[in-house]
Amino acid sequence: MNLHAMSRAPERTVARIPLKDIAPNPHQPRRTFPESGIADLAESIRQHGLLTPLLVRRVGAERYELIAGERRLRALRSLGRSHAEAIVLGAFDLDSALLALIENLQRENLHYLDEAEAYRAILDAHGITQEALARSLSLSASALANRLRLLRLSDRVRAALRETGLSERHARALLRLSDEEAQLELIQETVSHRLTVQQLEARIRRLLAPKPPKPHVSHILRDNRILVNAVLDTVRELNRIGVQADSRVEEQPGAVQVIVTIHTPQRENG
């Protein structure tokens, strides 16, 4: 484990310590711990024992803070155990946060949003640069920056991504949109229609494409309508005074034709 950001190599001792003396890790990057997974781990510990010690740091005379092993600690407590073997480090806060993050990355797939939030918490709390953090985690600076960009998504959008299980590439595609409601609608559409990343990106390109200009009525066309209405008013007035007249309007390319027919009374022969 290569932690360039650590100020010194942590001192290690192994001890059997009471579980009641272990406080939770405030830097824990993992947000969810499915009960089914805890139950399976508890059964494994019951049958085979704790194969990997907890990782803690001393924070008082008889007080410890968990650095890594949250699932193991929960499983032990569910079994009613009172003590557990632990590696005790003399780690500083930054060291503890980095160790917790790395332990989760190495042991089990961590949700990409949990990773991003852990990175941001370390950067904000300890004032180190993105470049220094990237070196500490053996990441490229661009990979770290791309992960942090996901935090531009709102809390509602991030919650929807966790709930639906969409991939990080799906999440990155949504960054092109600034409207939260549009992002949420696309998440549901992606899940309902099982859109690939490429299909989602194509859908977003269509949404962002410039809309064709709305056709506007030219002054000439408006004037034509005024003239047509004037003619039709005249035909109605003729009928009102007793002159029988019909009208027909025909729109043709480049022209509007108004045909008015005046009916004259027929003379009797004799």
Side-chain angles (χ1 to χ4, degrees):
M1 189 180 298
N2 183 17
L3 300 180
H4 301 284
M6 286 189 174
S7 56
R8 65 182 183 185
E11 300 173 0
R12 295 169 180 258
T13 59
V14 180
R16 183 173 173 79
I17 60 178
L19 298 186
K20 65 180 179 62
D21 293 339
I22 303 176
N25 181 0
H27 308 295
Q28 170 59 250
R30 193 176 298 278
R31 298 283 185 242
T32 58
F33 296 89
E35 290 299 324
S36 59
I38 300 297
D40 291 343
L41 181 57
E43 180 60 23
S44 175
I45 293 173
R46 189 185 66 79
Q47 292 185 23
H48 308 291
L50 183 64
L51 301 181
T52 304
L54 304 176
L55 191 61
V56 300
R57 70 181 184 124
R58 191 182 297 275
V59 292
E62 296 297 332
R63 297 295 299 166
Y64 304 89
E65 182 181 279
L66 187 68
I67 293 176
E70 180 74 31
R71 294 174 66 252
R72 279 165 279 157
L73 180 59
R74 292 184 183 214
L76 287 166
R77 284 174 172 162
S78 73
L79 291 171
R81 302 290 176 84
S82 60
H83 290 69
E85 290 75 24
I87 298 173
V88 182
L89 302 183
F92 297 107
D93 285 341
L94 175 57
D95 304 344
S96 176
L98 289 170
L99 283 167
L101 179 57
I102 290 170
E103 197 268 353
N104 274 281
L105 289 172
Q106 290 182 346
R107 287 187 176 277
E108 193 173 344
N109 288 333
L110 187 63
H111 195 282
Y112 55 86
L113 290 174
D114 288 342
E115 264 190 69
E117 289 165 5
Y119 296 155
R120 174 49 59 197
I122 292 171
L123 290 168
D124 290 346
H126 303 285
I128 64 173
T129 65
Q130 289 189 28
E131 291 76 12
L133 179 58
R135 287 195 301 270
S136 298
L137 299 169
S138 299
L139 286 175
S140 68
S142 60
L144 178 63
N146 285 335
R147 191 61 57 83
L148 288 170
R149 270 195 285 272
L150 296 175
L151 300 182
R152 296 177 186 173
L153 299 169
S154 70
D155 290 343
R156 289 177 64 204
V157 172
R158 279 155 39 197
L161 287 167
R162 291 178 189 278
E163 182 180 345
T164 56
L166 292 182
S167 72
E168 181 178 353
R169 290 184 61 203
H170 283 101
R172 286 185 191 173
L174 293 173
L175 287 170
R176 295 190 61 195
L177 295 173
S178 57
D179 183 79
E180 180 186 68
E181 293 303 325
Q183 291 171 333
L184 291 169
E185 288 176 10
L186 275 180
I187 288 174
Q188 294 308 315
E189 183 179 337
T190 300
V191 173
S192 299
H193 299 285
R194 297 182 179 180
L195 300 183
T196 65
V197 175
Q198 291 76 14
Q199 289 170 328
L200 175 60
E201 289 172 341
R203 181 79 176 84
I204 291 172
R205 283 195 297 271
R206 288 195 295 273
L207 287 175
L208 295 175
K211 302 295 186 293
K214 293 182 180 179
H216 67 281
V217 179
S218 67
H219 292 296
I220 296 175
L221 182 56
R222 285 199 296 267
D223 291 343
N224 284 342
R225 288 181 177 174
I226 292 172
L227 293 173
V228 169
N229 287 334
V231 173
L232 297 179
D233 286 342
T234 301
V235 172
R236 285 190 287 269
E237 182 63 21
L238 288 172
N239 280 283
R240 190 183 67 78
I241 63 177
V243 178
Q244 291 185 349
D246 294 330
S247 62
R248 186 171 76 253
V249 179
E250 295 181 357
E251 293 190 12
Q252 300 175 354
V256 178
Q257 194 172 54
V258 182
I259 301 172
V260 178
T261 304
I262 298 177
H263 301 280
T264 58
Q266 294 183 354
R267 296 179 182 179
E268 295 182 359
N269 292 327

